[in-house]
Amino acid sequence: VLVLAFSFALLHCHSTGFVYLFFPNRLFVTMKVITFAAFVALVLFAASAAAKTYFEEGFGKGWEDRWVVSNWKKSDGQAGEWKVTAGDYYGDKDADKGLKTTQDARFYAISAKFPKFSNRDKDLVLQYSVKHTQKIGCGGAYIKLVPSTVDQENFNGEAPYAIMFGPDVCGYSTKKTHVILSHNGHNHLVKKEVKCETDKYTHLYTLIIHPDNTYEVQIDQKEVQKGSLTEDWDILEPKEIKDPKASKPSDWVDEKEINDPADVKPAGYDDTPKNIVDPEASKPDDWDDELDGEWEAPLIDNPEFKGEWRAKRIPNPEYKGEWVHPMVPNPDYKEIPDLYAYDDIGAVGFELWQVEAGTIFDNIIVTDSIEEAKALADKTYAANKDAEKKMLDDQEAEKAKKEEEERKKAEEERKKAEAEKEADDEDDEDEDDEKDEL
């Protein structure tokens, strides 16, 4: 870093006219160069020292040593098996290898520990990729940040966590990206709707939480949602509550309209029946009163009937408007400046239920550096997504072509079989005709 910084300083001074570095009578210029180089070096060193990546996983060699598969659901045969693979399509076969769910209608639980840290006074970035190689109909694909105290052998859906983040799909009603924050033992769902992707391509999910209690969600390196932790989650008590001492006055009038007292029902209005005898109906000629009973003409709607009479409605002169319950400051409300902060983050984990298995997780990073998360995304997701898409699109096109060829072949065979059957039937008819002639 120092060498690079010093070189940068030399170039900078040269470009600004300081070309006297190696001349004894220009010592003061030399000192300027050295001072500037040292300053740049310190800035770069401070930046690199401040940024830290706590966990990064690409599921390469030795991944089994870093992850622990939970025993959850194993005893009753409901635990699914994991496999590391790039799947049948990818941008780079080695680089795109990830952790895949392999069995339908199974529970999955796995976790990896790292030295615990706190995100206090720092950004927190959680990022990973999801590829649904199956046609996902119902299944979770979210990741959790959990405390260092997690029991990995028994990690399950009841285990406490700090953050749960990622896509969840089930039918048409559930297609969203979860952003769930835990606070004081309670898990709070984000109130805003955050979309998720459901196709078969790899997608990158990024959650950024800032120390100013704001957040941002990105999908495929593009912002899809952002806001405030205090406003977009019901973590804090409300600032105001309805005044418990107030109630709507008994004489409060909140009926907007009333019946017009001057509007009177016309005389004889109720004398018009709703139904009348059908004047065009007549007793059938074959009607037998002894067998069929006394004939009664059918009824039809009376075209003169106007329905139940109702008085006209007019504005209520006593109307005072909708009564609004007065609000008062909530004595239980308390601001939490460090709402964003978690003092014990020590592991990541997947705890899922999938009806259709086949999801591949990859390129997980937990860091306090937005730049490092982006650099990893550029190196992996961005570098390989186009080649992966082409490979899948080509496979789908080839599959569609074969299916169409098989459909045409089956149709031709069906028509051929029908023609042969028709010809056999005609031959049988000819033989019958010859026998009849004989």
Side-chain angles (χ1 to χ4, degrees):
V1 171
L2 287 171
V3 172
L4 289 174
F6 193 80
S7 300
F8 174 78
L10 291 179
L11 290 173
H12 171 76
C13 292
H14 184 277
S15 65
T16 54
F18 293 100
V19 294
Y20 311 107
L21 177 62
F22 300 107
F23 291 84
N25 60 341
R26 300 299 185 195
L27 180 60
F28 70 97
V29 177
T30 305
M31 294 306 298
K32 284 185 178 181
V33 172
I34 294 174
T35 301
F36 183 75
F39 171 75
V40 173
L42 286 173
V43 170
L44 293 175
F45 179 77
S48 63
K52 186 171 183 179
T53 293
Y54 305 98
F55 181 79
E56 184 177 331
E57 180 62 81
F59 296 100
K61 184 178 180 181
W63 74 270
E64 300 96 332
D65 299 329
R66 297 185 291 273
W67 291 80
V68 176
V69 178
S70 174
N71 294 320
W72 183 49
K73 297 293 182 179
K74 283 185 177 181
S75 61
D76 56 11
Q78 296 188 67
E81 294 185 2
W82 300 91
K83 176 184 178 182
V84 167
T85 176
D88 295 329
Y89 56 95
Y90 38 78
D92 183 305
K93 188 173 183 179
D94 291 326
D96 287 350
K97 285 182 179 179
L99 190 64
K100 181 181 180 181
T101 58
T102 63
Q103 295 172 286
D104 292 345
R106 292 290 189 275
F107 292 91
Y108 294 87
I110 191 170
S111 62
K113 279 190 172 185
F114 45 82
K116 78 172 186 178
F117 73 94
S118 170
N119 66 314
R120 191 172 295 276
D121 300 324
K122 294 175 287 188
D123 287 327
L124 173 61
V125 185
L126 172 60
Q127 179 175 280
Y128 73 118
S129 67
V130 178
K131 178 165 71 172
H132 294 305
T133 63
Q134 75 282 43
K135 186 173 178 60
I136 186 72
C138 187
Y142 35 80
I143 192 171
K144 293 180 177 181
L145 286 181
V146 298
S148 61
T149 54
V150 61
D151 179 2
Q152 291 184 276
E153 298 288 343
N154 298 293
F155 179 54
N156 58 55
E158 301 300 319
Y161 61 85
I163 296 172
M164 185 175 113
F165 170 63
D168 190 13
V169 177
C170 198
Y172 294 100
S173 60
T174 302
K175 293 182 179 180
K176 62 183 178 181
T177 297
H178 283 298
V179 188
I180 303 178
L181 306 181
S182 178
H183 185 74
N184 290 339
H186 298 283
N187 300 325
H188 302 269
L189 281 70
V190 66
K191 294 187 289 185
K192 288 182 177 179
E193 189 68 23
V194 187
K195 70 166 190 171
C196 74
E197 300 294 339
T198 59
D199 58 41
K200 299 175 71 174
Y201 304 114
T202 292
H203 294 285
L204 189 72
Y205 290 82
T206 307
L207 172 64
I208 305 170
I209 295 180
H210 300 292
D212 63 354
N213 283 332
T214 61
Y215 74 99
E216 179 181 343
V217 176
Q218 298 177 3
I219 299 180
D220 297 340
Q221 299 184 289
K222 296 179 181 177
E223 177 191 297
V224 296
Q225 195 57 270
K226 68 177 182 179
S228 166
L229 301 184
T230 60
E231 296 175 2
D232 294 350
W233 280 264
D234 288 327
I235 300 176
L236 304 182
E237 293 288 337
K239 289 184 178 181
E240 293 184 321
I241 58 172
K242 292 180 179 179
D243 186 351
K245 297 179 181 180
S247 61
K248 184 169 71 172
S250 58
D251 61 347
W252 188 273
V253 179
D254 54 11
E255 187 178 8
K256 289 184 178 181
E257 295 181 332
I258 59 172
N259 291 336
D260 185 354
D263 189 22
V264 180
K265 186 190 330 184
Y269 186 92
D270 293 336
D271 296 339
T272 304
K274 182 178 181 179
N275 302 108
I276 59 174
V277 174
D278 186 353
E280 297 182 0
S282 60
K283 182 178 178 179
D285 295 336
D286 59 351
W287 188 273
D288 189 323
D289 289 341
E290 293 184 0
L291 296 176
D292 301 326
E294 184 179 355
W295 182 81
E296 293 182 359
L299 298 177
I300 61 171
D301 293 337
N302 185 356
E304 301 297 325
F305 180 69
K306 298 180 181 179
E308 182 182 354
W309 185 83
R310 289 186 175 86
K312 291 187 296 184
R313 304 283 287 175
I314 61 172
N316 185 354
E318 303 296 325
Y319 176 64
K320 296 182 179 180
E322 294 291 333
W323 184 77
V324 179
H325 202 127
M327 305 295 285
V328 295
N330 183 359
D332 294 328
Y333 172 75
K334 182 177 68 173
E335 291 186 354
I336 304 178
D338 59 351
L339 185 62
Y340 70 94
Y342 294 94
D343 290 326
D344 182 2
I345 300 174
V348 294
F350 294 100
E351 172 275 309
L352 313 167
W353 160 259
Q354 288 200 332
V355 176
E356 300 92 6
T359 303
I360 298 177
F361 305 102
D362 199 8
N363 296 315
I364 305 167
I365 185 171
V366 182
T367 181
D368 58 27
S369 170
I370 299 172
E371 292 75 18
E372 289 192 16
K374 183 181 183 304
L376 179 63
D378 290 341
K379 179 182 175 182
T380 56
Y381 165 75
N384 298 327
K385 64 183 179 67
D386 292 339
E388 176 197 89
K389 184 178 186 303
K390 183 179 185 307
M391 188 174 187
L392 176 59
D393 290 349
D394 289 347
Q395 289 178 0
E396 296 286 353
E398 183 64 25
K399 179 181 177 182
K401 179 181 177 182
K402 288 182 179 180
E403 289 176 350
E404 179 63 16
E405 290 174 351
E406 291 174 358
R407 187 195 65 78
K408 288 182 178 180
K409 182 179 179 181
E411 180 67 13
E412 291 173 358
E413 291 177 350
R414 184 187 65 78
K415 289 180 178 180
K416 181 179 179 181
E418 288 179 354
E420 291 176 350
K421 184 177 183 303
E422 185 177 339
D424 290 341
D425 292 342
E426 290 178 357
D427 292 341
D428 292 341
E429 290 177 2
D430 292 340
E431 290 178 3
D432 292 341
D433 292 340
E434 291 177 1
K435 289 179 181 179
D436 292 341
E437 291 176 359
L438 294 175

